[in-house]
Amino acid sequence: MEFKDYYATLGVPKTATEKEIKQAFRKLARKHHPDVNPNDKTAEAKFKAINEANEVLGDPEKRRKYDELGANWRQYEQAQQQGQPYPGGSPFGGGTPFGGEGGAWTINMGGPGGARTMSEEEMRDMFGGGSGGEDPFSDFFRTFFGGGGGAGGEARGRAGRAPRSQKGRDIESEAELTLEEAYHGAMRRISITLGGHARSIDVRIPAGVKDGSRVRAANEGEPGANGGAAGDLFLRVRIKAHPVFERKGDDLYVKVPLSVTTAVLGGEAHVPTITGSVRLKVPETTQPGQIFRLKGHGMPIVGKQDAKGDLYASVDVQLPRSLTKDQKQAWEQVKKIESAT
């Protein structure tokens, strides 16, 4: 068994502050997270090591005990394996600083939720080990911080535990919306079958939802085990293409047909919106493809009450397909004027 230098794992000196340790952990956790590196065994191993190091160094009391362990770790290991008292007394005060007796460890996953307690089974599930698979913790961690002296201690700990409550699995379904439904918000009734029993769930979809978003219905997934909470239902939203509008984020884009005379002389144009139309004042000599911004006429912004994106109207100058005699004379007159200038 090799000594684990948790400072080196996080790339920080032994004098690092709590803030520096937290910053280093978050940076490395994001880089090596299994969701970012699927099927990458090297990244998986690094992620496990990073979490283990943060377990020890991220807590002032646990870090103090680790520092006290220092170069004497081999003596403590031998004493523990032989069932003898630790030389000079246990640096851990007879306890297991990581809650080994309860079989749970506080693991910081680096996300916005911060730290949360993960059971050994959850860690195994996360890395695909299963109940009899690869141990997510190193031998060093097991020996000094897990409350057991290797595999034998681990087996004894498991045998004496009561069944652990486990959250039910999440399930996912899909719903297709029109752009108008996405603008106003919608309700979808989802039928699911679990354990041979069918039921319907009404899921409210918020106004402004984007294509590909997941809407969560809490506790509507598979039931939990041993008193655990039910999983969640996630509704994946797909938004149909619209014949008039193009959506980019919270903004909408639309083409506005404009006659040549209005583009040249100026005037007004009617711009379609999701809820109707608005009048746009067109200045003289408006160019084809020129874009006008109509503030607040885009999509609602989820999570921001009364806030909306913008609508961008692109001018599509319409050339006449035929001319009357008077129109042709007028254009010829314009041509003479242009030639004279």
Side-chain angles (χ1 to χ4, degrees):
M1 182 180 69
E2 65 172 316
F3 176 78
K4 293 293 183 180
D5 188 342
Y6 292 137
Y7 290 102
T9 300
L10 294 182
V12 296
K14 291 185 178 181
T15 56
T17 64
E18 185 177 348
K19 181 179 179 181
E20 290 171 337
I21 290 174
K22 184 182 295 184
Q23 289 175 339
F25 166 70
R26 287 179 175 173
K27 180 180 179 181
L28 292 171
R30 283 193 295 267
K31 180 179 179 181
H32 299 292
H33 197 284
D35 290 346
V36 181
N37 305 276
N39 302 319
D40 187 335
K41 293 297 183 182
T42 301
E44 179 181 311
K46 288 182 178 179
F47 184 74
K48 292 178 183 178
I50 292 163
N51 270 303
E52 185 172 305
N54 188 63
E55 273 298 286
V56 179
L57 302 184
D59 181 273
E61 180 63 17
K62 297 170 185 175
R63 181 181 179 184
R64 180 188 65 79
K65 294 175 180 179
Y66 173 73
D67 289 340
E68 288 180 8
L69 182 68
N72 299 317
W73 71 275
R74 180 66 72 182
Q75 297 179 42
Y76 287 116
E77 178 199 25
Q78 293 172 351
Q80 186 182 44
Q81 289 175 345
Q82 296 169 8
Q84 299 174 357
Y86 291 114
S90 169
F92 310 118
T96 54
F98 291 86
E101 293 181 359
W105 290 265
T106 301
I107 302 296
N108 191 318
M109 301 305 292
R116 75 176 184 88
T117 298
M118 291 183 68
S119 68
E120 176 182 342
E121 286 78 3
E122 286 179 300
M123 285 291 286
R124 289 179 181 275
D125 289 343
M126 180 178 185
F127 295 107
S131 60
E134 183 182 354
D135 196 334
F137 300 99
S138 70
D139 290 341
F140 179 83
F141 184 94
R142 282 279 181 201
T143 299
F144 294 103
F145 305 109
E154 177 184 348
R156 288 192 298 272
R158 286 187 184 178
R161 294 181 194 147
R164 188 185 309 281
S165 63
Q166 185 174 357
K167 182 182 177 182
R169 291 176 181 266
D170 297 332
I171 58 177
E172 186 168 313
S173 187
E174 192 169 289
E176 189 174 58
L177 274 66
T178 64
L179 187 61
E180 287 81 3
E181 286 178 315
Y183 181 92
H184 294 288
M187 183 77 76
R188 282 291 186 272
R189 176 161 292 182
I190 307 300
S191 297
I192 60 174
T193 301
L194 295 174
H197 300 285
R199 60 191 177 99
S200 297
I201 303 166
D202 290 330
V203 181
R204 184 176 296 278
I205 301 172
V209 66
K210 294 181 175 67
D211 183 68
S213 296
R214 293 203 310 169
V215 179
R216 173 175 172 258
N219 302 320
E220 296 291 356
E222 294 187 4
N226 302 318
D232 300 326
L233 166 65
F234 288 93
L235 193 61
R236 179 79 67 176
V237 175
R238 299 298 179 193
I239 299 177
K240 298 178 183 178
H242 198 278
V244 175
F245 301 100
E246 180 184 1
R247 181 178 182 178
K248 295 180 181 180
D250 296 312
D251 299 324
L252 294 174
Y253 291 77
V254 65
K255 288 187 176 181
V256 179
L258 206 64
S259 68
V260 174
T261 52
T262 303
V264 173
L265 302 176
E268 284 188 348
H270 289 278
V271 180
T273 70
I274 292 288
T275 57
S277 66
V278 294
R279 289 192 300 178
L280 173 67
K281 186 176 180 180
V282 180
E284 293 180 1
T285 63
T286 291
Q287 301 299 305
Q290 188 169 335
I291 296 175
F292 295 91
R293 174 188 175 212
L294 285 74
K295 188 175 181 180
H297 286 279
M299 297 293 291
I301 299 176
V302 177
K304 294 185 179 180
Q305 189 174 6
D306 299 327
K308 290 184 175 68
D310 300 325
L311 174 64
Y312 291 88
S314 175
V315 171
D316 182 16
V317 177
Q318 306 286 300
L319 297 176
R321 295 185 178 277
S322 62
L323 297 173
T324 65
K325 183 178 180 180
D326 290 340
Q327 288 173 330
K328 186 172 183 179
Q329 289 175 349
W331 281 109
E332 288 175 346
Q333 185 64 28
V334 171
K335 183 178 180 181
K336 290 178 181 180
I337 295 172
E338 289 177 343
S339 299
T341 57

